[in-house]
Amino acid sequence: MNIHEYQAKELLTRFGIGIPAGYPALTVEEAVEAAKKLPGPLYVVKAQIHAGGRGKGKFQELGPDAKGGVRLADSIEAVESHSREMLGNTLVTIQTGDAGKQVNRLYITDGVDIEKEYYLSMLVDRKTGRIAMVVSTEGGMDIEEVAHSTPEKITTIAIDPAEGFQPHHGRAVAFALKLTGDLNKQAQKLAKQLYEAFSALDCAMIEINPLVETKDGNLLVLDTKMSFDSNALYRHKDVEAMRDETEEDPMEVEASKHDLAYIKLDGNIGCMVNGAGLAMATMDIIKLNGAFPANFLDVGGGANKEKVTAAFKIILSDPAVKGILVNIFGGIMKCDIIAEGIVAAAKEVNLSVPLVVRLEGTNVQKGKDILANSGLPIVPAEDLGDAAKKIVAEVKQAA
Ligand code: ADP
Ligand code: MG
């Protein structure tokens, strides 16, 4: 799960990390109120979307000459006019894709006199199975570009979880940033605080870009992105409450509400399967028959009628879907219950594409009877190979 910059900054502040003051705003009025609480005379108005590259981004509606999604303002009036221009408009950055993202929130923060920009992030490195810190003197720019063109300017420091954060890790970070004197000490302290935040909040990633050295000799976090391990969110209700669903794929949000594992893919055959392994096998066999799956969808072992109906609606809300293959092994979940769910859902959504169903397991005959007597044009299949062949043929025929 991702959160906004202003939320990440609020969390990091709890760990004593140095961050310029700032307030979120949903309206122009709130933006002005926020600016009035800050000392001034320099403010920054920042678009809050779940994507980076905002500074260099472009507003779709404002033409190529308009400023991006991070704007300096030298007066309250400038804060007001920038806020008016940004709110409600669509910001396109290298991370949003061409469609961009609508700006519904702003963050009004202190303008900082920057001496130099650095890069510092922390993530779970799957290769080493450790939390790694990634450090670079080249801050403020696209780190992927730095990694590509000047990889020697990036230092990675892995922390053994059994050992935890040690002073030498802090010194390695400060050294990689080429900092001396008091700034060196500040960097060591920041690395430690960041590790504490990362572990305590079960983060997947914290990225600070840029971390800045100010003209008056302080290290401050100017921009940060945080993401969390979803499996640990139950331990952090306050973090979970920061979720902004308007920033996520609507179909995946809907799926997660029903506890369905759904991932949108590029093909045109919708799949509804129970169990991740069976779902993978179903996708494979669709491909083997020359077509492509439109999604991965695991309804889980204990799915009920409501879950099946929800899954069906999600699959059908994807306009790319030209046919549906249901492949269910009724173990804990009985085939007749599944069949009832399929029939109810198909009736409710006014099924307009071919549907092939393969059921196996407990009460399979009862299930097949329910499908056959439903009056719906459901194509029954005997086994997985048969099911895949049938749905591919049905979709080809309909095209
Ligand atoms: P993004 O990474 O989405 O473009 P940033 O917050 O990193 O957004 O902002 C882009 C650039 O704007 C920064 O690299 C920095 O130079 C400048 N900037 C951001 N916040 C401030 C601030 N509070 N004061 C002064 N400059 C800032
Ligand atoms: Mg940034």
Side-chain angles (χ1 to χ4, degrees), residues 46 52-55 70 140-141 207-210 222-225:
K46 308 183 78 172
R54 296 162 299 168
V70 176
M141 45 194 106
E207 183 181 56
I208 300 173
N209 190 22
L222 236 56
D223 182 22
T224 183
K225 248 194 203 170

Side-chain angles (χ1 to χ4, degrees), residues 121-288:
S121 70
M122 207 170 264
L123 47 91
V124 179
D125 180 354
R126 286 168 192 272
K127 247 188 252 159
T128 56
R130 293 176 175 193
I131 294 174
M133 292 190 283
V134 179
V135 191
S136 177
T137 50
E138 308 307 297
M141 45 194 106
D142 185 6
I143 197 68
E144 276 81 19
E145 179 52 36
V146 179
H148 182 72
S149 52
T150 49
E152 71 281 1
K153 290 191 170 158
I154 294 182
T155 306
T156 304
I157 301 153
I159 300 162
D160 183 338
E163 184 193 21
F165 190 93
Q166 299 296 322
H168 69 84
H169 294 123
R171 289 195 293 274
V173 168
F175 181 76
L177 292 174
K178 298 193 166 62
L179 294 171
T180 55
D182 188 54
L183 283 166
N184 182 294
K185 288 210 182 78
Q186 289 185 48
Q188 294 188 40
K189 189 171 157 202
L190 171 67
K192 182 165 189 276
Q193 290 165 326
L194 212 58
Y195 183 83
E196 279 163 6
F198 193 100
S199 323
L201 297 171
D202 293 310
C203 290
M205 185 206 63
I206 303 178
E207 183 181 56
I208 300 173
N209 190 22
L211 169 71
V212 299
E213 173 187 337
T214 63
K215 294 263 190 230
D216 54 5
N218 285 311
L219 271 191
L220 290 178
V221 170
L222 236 56
D223 182 22
T224 183
K225 248 194 203 170
M226 260 173 123
S227 66
F228 301 87
D229 180 347
S230 303
N231 292 319
L233 274 179
Y234 73 96
R235 303 205 287 203
H236 309 285
K237 294 292 172 214
D238 53 339
V239 173
E240 203 171 19
M242 290 179 168
R243 183 166 176 192
D244 181 357
E245 289 180 352
T246 63
E247 292 286 327
E248 299 173 21
D249 181 292
M251 283 193 252
E252 290 182 13
V253 170
E254 185 59 23
S256 78
K257 273 187 203 151
H258 300 279
D259 214 11
L260 298 163
Y262 170 89
I263 293 158
K264 165 114 184 65
L265 300 169
D266 295 333
N268 62 5
I269 296 182
C271 306
M272 186 170 96
V273 190
N274 64 335
L278 192 58
M280 302 289 275
T282 306
M283 288 160 53
D284 278 349
I285 207 155
I286 288 172
K287 284 194 175 179
L288 193 67

